[in-house]
Amino acid sequence: MPPHVFADHAAAQPPERGTVDALISQTRRLRGEVDAVRRDAVADHGDPAGRWQRALCDLAVHQLNDLDDHLAQLRDGPPRAGGEPAAPAAPAPVEPPRGSLLSRVGSAEWNLLTDEASWSAELYEILGRDPAAPPLSLDEFPSLVHPDDQPLLTAMVTDCLIDGKPIDGEFRVLRPDGRARQVHMMGEPVLATDGSTASMWAVLRDVSELRRSQRVVRESRDSLQRHRDIAQTEHRLAIELQEAVLPPWRGSLRLPHGGPARLDLAARYLPSSTGALIGGDWYDAMELPEGHALLSVGDLTGHGVTVTSGMAMLLGALRGMAVTGAPPDQVMGWLNQLLDATVQPALGSAVCCRYDPATHLLTWAQAGHPAPLLFRDGTGRTLTPPHGVLLGATSGAKYGQAEEQLRPGDLLLLHTDGLVPRRDRETATGLLLSLASRLAGARTAQDCVRTVVEEFGEAPREDDACLLAVRI
């Protein structure tokens, strides 16, 4: 399978944890076997074949350690931030390093007694040097190294030659074509019979692509964490904005205030199952001039702070328009003009009702929204909706208006889509109406809300929803 196809397949189908755990176990077992080979390697430092064998074992252990770390990251997943949404799309797969391992590993030996140097052909290729050119002496070699990294190389070589310390470090080399390559160097001093340092050998590995891959992974992880931090902040702001706008009452509200209890109201906001999708759903009830009551529910499409702030703007406008005494159909027309004129176009649905407690007359209009449900004498039905398109769908839309004569004891349910999870609107309405006998036994609006929530509130929902219960 080509590398890009494999990357696409892996991105589409995340590996199971058990599969990755098995790969980690195999990697660690292989690392132990390679380490055993390294310990059993020829101990004579003067034997070039033995040094090469031990060096390759060291490199293999380094590679297996890197593989173990990467597999652990793959198993554990990216960093999480308290149940936040899934991370943004993964970056494009990194092109794998070209060539085999041996083509990116070279060796060198510098004889301190004869001042001779010996380089492998692979080292010439790594450094971009002409194979016909003589190898550089140990004093000349730092001239190939990036100026910022020359002190590091000098310190490693000095510690190796004077104190007998092994070399194990990385630095950048500058090739004749101007490109910089990251090189990992491992080496040891070779001692003469009298214990003095006779020469120094080293194995150099081009790790440029490996380090680039690690940098991309690190930067991607950091970027993902930043995105999640931003999403968490936006989520918190959306919740705070929503709580500041929606009516704060918890339990029943009676309208009009200070007068006989003609309306008993209760409401509930039901968040999505993920806890991350704060949308534009609202419910509202307020007393209007002349003792009338405004009842409304609605939903602005989308999620996040922008949509929640748009919902707050729309709800505030609705309240202001209703206070002027405008009928529901005119209020809907004005709200449509408002959404149509906003800088960021949006779509919304809503039901706007005006209730006269003196006559028990409900006047209402709707914009592409589920119609209110009326429960009376143990049965329920859907109010016949007047004409009305979604808010913001078309300029200059006209909205119809309907009236319904209510009676004492009636129950009115206003809700947004998604109250009955994963159901189409017609099926959801049927399920809500099937609760008529149970709702008939409820004493208060709060009891009615509790009944609906007990039936549908715990089911997984992909979107948030609102419910407003009104008892006459």
Side-chain angles (χ1 to χ4, degrees):
M1 182 179 293
H4 70 278
V5 175
F6 175 79
D8 292 342
H9 179 78
Q13 300 180 1
E16 296 181 359
R17 186 181 180 92
T19 303
V20 179
D21 284 337
L23 290 174
I24 292 176
S25 298
Q26 294 176 21
T27 301
R28 292 176 179 175
R29 181 169 60 252
L30 179 60
R31 184 177 58 193
E33 294 173 355
V34 173
D35 197 47
V37 172
R38 179 174 60 176
R39 289 194 301 270
D40 294 338
V42 178
D44 184 2
H45 287 189
D47 180 9
R51 294 199 302 270
W52 180 250
Q53 183 180 16
R54 287 198 316 278
L56 286 180
C57 287
D58 289 338
L59 290 173
V61 170
H62 272 283
Q63 293 276 24
L64 289 171
N65 284 335
D66 290 340
L67 178 60
D68 187 33
D69 291 340
H70 296 332
L71 289 173
Q73 292 178 9
L74 180 62
R75 176 195 61 193
D76 299 335
R80 300 182 180 273
E84 289 302 305
V94 177
E95 180 182 353
R98 298 180 180 178
S100 66
L101 174 63
L102 292 181
S103 69
R104 292 178 287 111
V105 178
S107 63
E109 183 168 2
W110 289 277
N111 191 310
L112 303 181
L113 302 179
T114 63
D115 202 26
E116 295 178 336
S118 175
W119 287 5
S120 68
E122 292 80 10
L123 183 57
Y124 275 96
E125 181 178 350
I126 291 173
L127 300 178
R129 302 278 295 178
D130 182 0
L136 299 183
S137 68
L138 200 55
D139 292 333
E140 297 171 326
F141 186 74
S143 64
L144 302 179
V145 178
H146 192 285
D148 293 343
D149 296 345
Q150 289 178 4
L152 172 64
L153 176 63
T154 300
M156 289 192 300
V157 172
T158 301
D159 290 342
C160 177
L161 298 181
I162 296 179
D163 300 329
K165 295 181 179 179
I167 291 177
D168 188 350
E170 292 186 13
F171 50 84
R172 291 165 292 176
V173 296
L174 298 177
R175 295 164 56 101
D177 57 10
R179 291 187 300 166
R181 305 296 292 177
Q182 189 80 12
V183 173
H184 178 227
M185 182 176 183
M186 299 176 62
E188 292 180 355
V190 178
L191 302 181
T193 56
D194 60 358
S196 62
T197 302
S199 64
M200 189 190 83
W201 66 270
V203 173
L204 296 95
R205 177 173 59 134
D206 186 347
V207 294
S208 303
E209 298 300 328
L210 175 61
R211 296 300 175 249
R212 184 173 70 88
S213 300
Q214 292 173 336
R215 184 172 63 254
V216 170
V217 170
R218 182 174 62 254
E219 292 173 352
S220 299
R221 183 181 63 244
D222 293 343
S223 176
L224 177 60
Q225 185 62 53
R226 287 194 299 271
H227 278 85
R228 286 182 165 167
D229 290 342
I230 292 173
Q232 187 178 37
T233 300
E234 291 183 347
H235 176 73
R236 185 178 64 254
L237 291 176
I239 292 178
E240 293 175 353
L241 181 58
Q242 183 190 64
E243 291 178 345
V245 172
L246 295 184
W249 30 277
R250 303 286 187 267
S252 291
L253 173 69
R254 297 184 181 274
L255 293 177
H257 296 293
R262 294 190 176 95
L263 283 184
D264 177 20
L265 304 104
R268 183 72 64 87
Y269 168 80
L270 299 173
S272 66
S273 302
T274 64
L277 301 177
I278 302 298
D281 289 50
W282 84 79
Y283 62 86
D284 194 28
M286 65 177 291
E287 187 175 355
L288 298 174
E290 301 179 359
H292 292 185
L294 169 69
L295 309 171
S296 71
V297 295
D299 180 13
L300 199 61
T301 57
H303 301 91
V305 175
T306 301
V307 172
T308 308
S309 61
M311 176 271 289
M313 177 271 296
L314 200 64
L315 182 54
L318 188 155
R319 289 169 176 172
M321 295 170 184
V323 167
T324 66
D329 60 342
Q330 188 173 7
V331 170
M332 283 298 179
W334 288 343
L335 290 179
N336 181 68
Q337 292 180 19
L338 180 63
L339 275 188
D340 187 55
T342 55
V343 176
Q344 295 181 331
L347 291 175
S349 67
V351 165
C352 178
C353 305
R354 190 180 186 96
Y355 175 71
D356 183 353
T359 63
H360 300 309
L361 183 65
L362 182 78
T363 306
W364 68 288
Q366 65 85 27
H369 198 87
L373 306 180
L374 176 61
F375 295 87
R376 177 183 293 167
D377 300 330
T379 62
R381 65 181 176 89
T382 304
L383 298 187
T384 302
H387 173 72
V389 298
L390 287 171
L391 299 174
T394 180
S395 300
K398 301 297 182 181
Y399 292 85
Q401 186 168 281
E403 293 182 349
E404 187 71 30
Q405 188 64 52
L406 302 182
R407 304 175 187 173
D410 283 351
L411 170 67
L412 203 63
L413 287 186
L414 284 69
H415 67 92
T416 61
D417 277 326
L419 178 60
V420 182
R422 298 180 181 177
R423 301 284 185 175
D424 60 80
R425 184 174 293 184
E426 184 176 351
T427 303
T429 299
L431 291 173
L432 287 169
L433 292 176
S434 68
L435 299 178
S437 59
R438 294 172 58 185
L439 294 174
R443 295 182 302 171
T444 66
Q446 184 64 29
D447 291 337
C448 296
V449 169
R450 189 176 297 111
T451 298
V452 176
V453 172
E454 287 175 354
E455 185 69 24
F456 304 114
E458 298 301 324
R461 67 184 68 252
E462 298 176 356
D463 201 357
D464 49 355
C466 285
L467 170 66
L468 175 63
V470 184
R471 285 183 64 91
I472 309 302

